[in-house]
Amino acid sequence: MKKDLLHTPEGVRDIYSTECAEKKVIENRLHDVCASYGYNDIQTPSIEFFDVFNKERGSVPSNEMFKLFDRYGNTLVLRPDMTPSIARATAKYFEDRVLPVKLCYLGNTFINVSKYYQGRLKENTMLGAELINDNSLAADYEIISMVIDCMLSAGLTEFQVELGNVAFFNGLLHKAGITGDSAEELLRLIKDKNYFGVEELLDSLNIDDAVAKALLELPQLFGGTEVLEKAKSLTDEEECIQAVNRLEELYELLKNNNYDKYISFDLGDLSEHAYYTGIIFHAYTFGTGEPVVNGGRYDKLLGQFGCDKASIGFSITIDRLIAALNRQNIHIPHDANGTLLVYHADRLGDAINVYLRDDESGDYWSVSWQPVGKDLNEYKSEVHHGTAYTKMFAEYAGIKSEAMYYVPLNKVYEVWCCKVTNTSDKPRKISVFGYAELSNDDNYNQDQVNLQYSLCTTNTSFRKNKIYQQINLNWYKGPDGSNGKERFFGLAGQ
């Protein structure tokens, strides 16, 4: 085998062992926060139509998408951004919903990043939440509170959530009459804090000096609440003033749960995602040069899918968050212990079946109907299967049993629990144990694979506490004409 086949392509990687266990712990912690706020899970496909993310949607640039074609010639992409995908699904399934819709998700995104961003992953695991059909200040407050709770739940203590409002920038653009490529270039320069680039571009445009001054100040409008006062002094444009007022009101709400200490402001903190229309935010911490959380308000995006609902949401880049935790030496506890069940190859039945025995009468049965196979007029049972667990309920001879097999959250082993209840009118002595099942040579291998099938093919029955198998085989006979089955099943009946 060529060693080249063992490597992954650039920008993607394997996650295994301790790192994988730690990742699951963090994912579960963050999901618990979303669930505590009343958000319901949604899954969207990793492959979507290209038009879901095209330029009109305001998602990532076309040249950063992984594209492919289906058999009908449709252009598909690996999902580069979760928000448009959730918006599409919401428009399809919740169009008539009057009340707000709360959705959370966990999935991977795929971005074909430029060669100039060496080391940046092209596949990232994202966990996020979307609050749809709610344009209130309370919705903004809820989302920001969730972001802070997620950071705290992950184990971070030093982090900052930078708040901005793209409506302030958009208001200045409208007043200056800047559109098209010039608007996109100006956004990029302000986002990159390129003061001289902004100055050069503004000098080439014929716009009002006051507006130009306000736009030139944007890359430097970051810090505490004093930034908001300065922003108001730069313009009298109503859209801009309302944008700043919204930030001030949100900040006052965050004081109620002492979350204002995690907040700073940056009116030049814009996004390459053009679908954002209002509040926008990023969360930063030590150990990573990029934000671990991105989010904002997108009141017009769902309207592009025929469902006009104001929305706000966020996404957490799990891989960046875990990298930051590790670089800050924040331990992520996980249980890597398990129980090793050792058994001989011919004792598989002992390892997988649980039995009950009445020590007074000698009668025995299994907590599931098979493999003992009691008369169903006397033996009542039912089975419930769920995600990572199975429950078996049985009632026989005045004894109820409940067996539960499950894999605990964040564990790497299976737990078996058996509960036995006496429903008769007298004391009982019941033993719980594993039991060796016997099979004739002809079905020995099959018996190890599927015991129930073996019992069926050999016509097994149970009478007077003995195992009877109807075998019509004449080979393997000894000199005396016996094939030994009397001795074989005699042992089983003892």
Side-chain angles (χ1 to χ4, degrees):
M1 177 183 294
K2 293 184 178 181
K3 292 292 185 180
D4 292 346
L5 297 177
L6 302 180
H7 299 292
T8 60
E10 181 186 22
V12 297
R13 67 192 184 104
D14 300 312
I15 301 175
Y16 60 95
S17 192
T18 299
E19 184 182 4
C20 193
E22 291 177 348
K23 184 176 181 179
K24 291 297 181 184
V25 170
I26 295 301
E27 289 173 353
N28 289 328
R29 287 183 186 177
L30 301 182
H31 182 268
D32 288 345
V33 172
C34 295
S36 70
Y37 276 81
Y39 284 71
N40 298 310
D41 293 305
I42 185 172
Q43 293 182 359
T44 58
S46 297
I47 299 176
E48 295 259 18
F49 287 114
F50 169 75
D51 286 345
V52 173
F53 305 96
N54 66 17
K55 186 175 182 179
E56 286 70 25
R57 307 288 172 263
S59 188
V60 303
S62 173
N63 61 356
E64 293 186 1
M65 300 183 196
F66 287 98
K67 302 184 186 71
L68 59 153
F69 301 94
D70 65 12
R71 67 179 67 184
Y72 307 108
N74 297 309
T75 303
L76 310 177
V77 295
L78 291 177
R79 177 182 57 208
D81 180 9
M82 294 297 301
T83 300
S85 187
I86 302 297
R88 174 198 56 76
T90 302
K92 180 177 181 180
Y93 302 110
F94 300 98
E95 180 181 7
D96 298 328
R97 182 71 66 88
V98 176
L99 295 175
V101 179
K102 293 184 173 185
L103 301 173
C104 63
Y105 58 82
L106 176 67
N108 286 10
T109 59
F110 307 84
I111 300 180
N112 191 15
V113 293
S114 168
K115 65 180 180 179
Y116 299 110
Y117 291 93
Q118 297 293 332
R120 180 183 290 184
L121 289 175
K122 296 181 178 180
E123 179 183 14
N124 287 281
T125 300
M126 314 298 291
L127 183 145
E130 311 292 342
L131 177 50
I132 297 163
N133 200 26
D134 191 341
N135 64 355
S136 68
L137 180 67
D140 298 348
Y141 170 63
E142 178 174 311
I143 288 294
I144 300 300
S145 296
M146 284 180 65
V147 168
I148 295 173
D149 284 339
C150 282
M151 296 297 95
L152 294 171
S153 177
L156 291 174
T157 56
E158 297 183 75
F159 60 92
Q160 203 72 18
V161 180
E162 284 192 349
L163 297 181
N165 196 327
V166 297
F168 187 86
F169 174 69
N170 291 336
L172 294 177
L173 289 183
H174 296 158
K175 188 167 186 177
I178 302 174
T179 59
D181 294 340
S182 296
E184 292 181 8
E185 177 66 10
L186 183 60
L187 183 147
R188 184 186 64 80
L189 292 170
I190 293 175
K191 181 178 180 296
D192 294 341
K193 306 299 184 187
N194 188 340
Y195 178 86
F196 296 106
V198 173
E199 185 177 35
E200 183 179 354
L201 178 60
L202 292 176
D203 287 342
S204 67
L205 301 174
N206 185 22
I207 62 174
D208 181 78
D209 290 342
V211 178
K213 180 182 177 181
L215 288 168
L216 190 59
E217 289 284 347
L218 275 181
Q220 303 177 73
L221 279 179
F222 59 89
T225 53
E226 70 280 357
V227 168
L228 303 182
E229 290 299 325
K230 184 175 182 179
K232 283 185 176 181
S233 69
L234 292 173
T235 179
D236 57 0
E237 177 68 24
E238 184 63 25
E239 184 177 358
C240 299
I241 299 300
Q242 290 181 0
V244 176
N245 288 341
R246 182 93 169 196
L247 290 173
E248 289 178 331
E249 293 168 1
L250 177 57
Y251 184 73
E252 290 300 315
L253 284 177
L254 290 166
K255 289 181 179 179
N256 293 328
N257 45 357
N258 294 319
Y259 281 177
D260 55 304
K261 62 185 177 182
Y262 300 109
I263 301 299
S264 61
F265 300 94
D266 188 351
L267 289 173
D269 189 14
L270 306 175
S271 172
E272 66 274 11
H273 293 151
Y275 50 69
Y276 286 127
T277 58
I279 294 289
I280 190 172
F281 53 88
H282 300 90
Y284 295 89
T285 187
F286 300 106
T288 177
E290 297 182 272
V292 294
V293 183
N294 299 280
R297 176 163 288 284
Y298 50 98
D299 290 348
K300 304 298 182 182
L301 180 59
L302 270 76
Q304 297 185 40
F305 295 97
C307 180
D308 193 13
K309 296 181 185 293
S311 306
I312 184 173
F314 69 87
S315 63
I316 301 173
T317 306
I318 300 294
D319 308 271
R320 290 180 194 165
L321 175 58
I322 293 178
L325 291 169
N326 290 332
R327 289 165 185 165
Q328 294 181 37
N329 295 318
I330 297 176
H331 177 61
I332 305 174
H334 64 281
D335 189 352
N337 297 319
T339 301
L340 177 63
L341 182 62
V342 181
Y343 57 91
H344 194 273
D346 61 0
R347 299 293 298 278
L348 181 61
D350 294 16
I352 63 174
N353 292 308
V354 176
Y355 292 79
L356 303 179
R357 180 180 63 199
D358 187 327
D359 292 343
E360 294 181 355
S361 67
D363 194 9
Y364 60 89
W365 59 98
S366 50
V367 295
S368 60
W369 179 66
Q370 286 283 30
V372 176
K374 291 291 188 180
D375 187 340
L376 292 178
N377 291 321
E378 302 175 359
Y379 182 97
K380 308 298 181 184
S381 68
E382 60 182 87
V383 177
H384 298 174
H385 294 293
T387 302
Y389 78 91
T390 293
K391 282 187 176 182
M392 296 181 179
F393 302 90
E395 185 172 2
Y396 174 76
I399 298 294
K400 282 186 175 180
S401 62
E402 176 183 336
M404 180 173 175
Y405 308 85
Y406 70 96
V407 178
L409 190 64
N410 301 325
K411 306 299 180 183
V412 292
Y413 55 81
E414 184 177 73
V415 175
W416 294 11
C417 297
C418 188
K419 178 181 178 182
V420 180
T421 304
N422 179 14
T423 60
S424 66
D425 56 0
K426 62 178 182 179
R428 305 286 290 275
K429 185 177 181 181
I430 303 296
S431 296
V432 182
F433 57 97
Y435 193 89
E437 296 292 344
L438 303 177
S439 175
N440 64 300
D441 289 343
D442 185 49
N443 287 280
Y444 181 75
N445 290 332
Q446 179 62 43
D447 180 63
Q448 296 184 67
V449 177
N450 190 329
L451 181 59
Q452 297 187 32
Y453 175 75
S454 176
L455 294 175
C456 176
T457 57
T458 57
N459 194 12
T460 303
S461 61
F462 298 82
R463 299 191 300 276
K464 297 181 180 179
N465 200 33
K466 293 183 181 293
I467 303 173
Y468 291 87
Q469 289 184 308
Q470 181 178 343
I471 303 175
N472 297 317
L473 302 177
N474 293 318
W475 52 82
Y476 305 131
K477 286 187 177 181
D480 60 353
S482 171
N483 61 10
K485 68 178 181 180
E486 293 85 358
R487 177 174 59 83
F488 182 84
F489 289 111
L491 290 174
Q494 293 180 358

